[in-house]
Amino acid sequence: MKINKKVEDVLNKQVNAEFWSAYLYLSMSAWCESKGFKGFASWMLVQFKEETSHALKIMNFVISRSGEIKLQPIKAVETSWTSFLNLFEETYKHECKVTEMINSCYEVATTEKDYATATMLQWFINEQTEEENNALEIADKLKLIGEKSGGIFYLDKKLGSRTFVDSTKNSE
Ligand SMILES: [Fe+2]
Ligand SMILES: [Fe+2]
């Protein structure tokens, strides 16, 4: 069954939001790199790749349901932050905004009785809980560390070990 028009529209908007997220994290990665913190930069780069894979995951789904993808311009993102704590607090706020968007996609899908889309979106609902928690956990650590540079260097090293898992290749 061809995808419903209203559902197709909100999913297209979500594709844009995922690319916008990717763009934001790429900007954050560049900021970390310019400050000389390679671990933070690499963590943000993994985040950029994850968001890109989210956009692709939705695109693939729309196409598999004979829907149309209409890529729109990506709005500008911030380019500087006041501290690493500020960076992760903004990350958390951003993820909460994206969660709201995913929730409204889910609402449209269920109102339109498009259960295939609702099922696909369930993966994203779980993913958002994880993303919000990740950002909060790091922000909490940064609050504990405060201005102690040793702690920031330790966290930088730790975050640098994060690896990218392509969500378009499996259901995890
Ligand atoms: Fe995402
Ligand atoms: Fe995200």
Side-chain angles (χ1 to χ4, degrees):
M1 194 169 68
K2 193 179 185 298
I3 200 162
N4 164 296
K5 185 82 188 87
K6 277 187 200 156
V7 175
E8 185 187 79
D9 283 351
V10 289
L11 291 182
N12 266 286
K13 279 203 188 95
Q14 194 58 40
V15 166
N16 187 271
E18 299 294 340
F19 278 127
W20 167 56
S21 296
Y23 212 35
L24 174 67
Y25 292 126
L26 189 59
S27 180
M28 287 176 162
S29 178
W31 182 80
C32 295
E33 191 79 54
S34 73
K35 301 272 162 215
F37 289 89
K38 293 205 172 299
F40 281 101
S42 152
W43 191 93
M44 285 297 179
L45 200 64
V46 170
Q47 195 71 9
F48 158 74
K49 289 179 189 167
E50 277 203 0
E51 299 300 353
T52 307
S53 78
H54 295 166
L56 290 171
K57 200 178 174 81
I58 301 172
M59 285 173 74
N60 291 342
F61 175 82
V62 171
I63 294 163
S64 77
R65 299 274 312 279
S66 310
E68 234 184 288
I69 288 293
K70 295 168 194 140
L71 294 178
Q72 298 297 316
I74 303 162
K75 69 175 185 191
V77 290
E78 292 291 325
T79 53
S80 69
W81 293 268
T82 54
S83 64
F84 285 111
L85 176 60
N86 173 241
L87 185 75
F88 281 91
E89 281 175 341
E90 289 304 313
T91 298
Y92 174 67
K93 271 193 229 159
H94 176 75
E95 288 300 336
C96 291
K97 221 182 281 173
V98 174
T99 300
E100 274 174 30
M101 293 187 74
I102 295 280
N103 286 348
S104 49
C105 287
Y106 188 83
E107 226 172 278
V108 173
T110 49
T111 309
E112 297 300 317
K113 297 190 168 32
D114 183 344
Y115 301 114
T117 297
T119 304
M120 182 276 292
L121 287 170
Q122 239 141 39
W123 182 89
F124 282 88
I125 292 169
N126 295 336
E127 174 70 12
Q128 283 312 116
T129 312
E130 216 181 289
E131 295 244 33
E132 285 181 24
N133 279 338
N134 286 345
L136 262 190
E137 252 176 54
I138 298 171
D140 283 346
K141 281 195 184 104
L142 285 163
K143 269 183 210 153
L144 280 175
I145 291 169
E147 299 298 309
K148 288 177 248 131
S149 59
I152 307 248
F153 282 120
Y154 173 76
L155 192 58
D156 183 60
K157 208 169 170 191
K158 221 171 151 243
L159 293 184
S161 66
R162 182 185 182 194
T163 53
F164 170 58
V165 182
D166 189 347
S167 62
T168 61
K169 295 226 162 75
N170 52 41
S171 54
E172 294 307 310

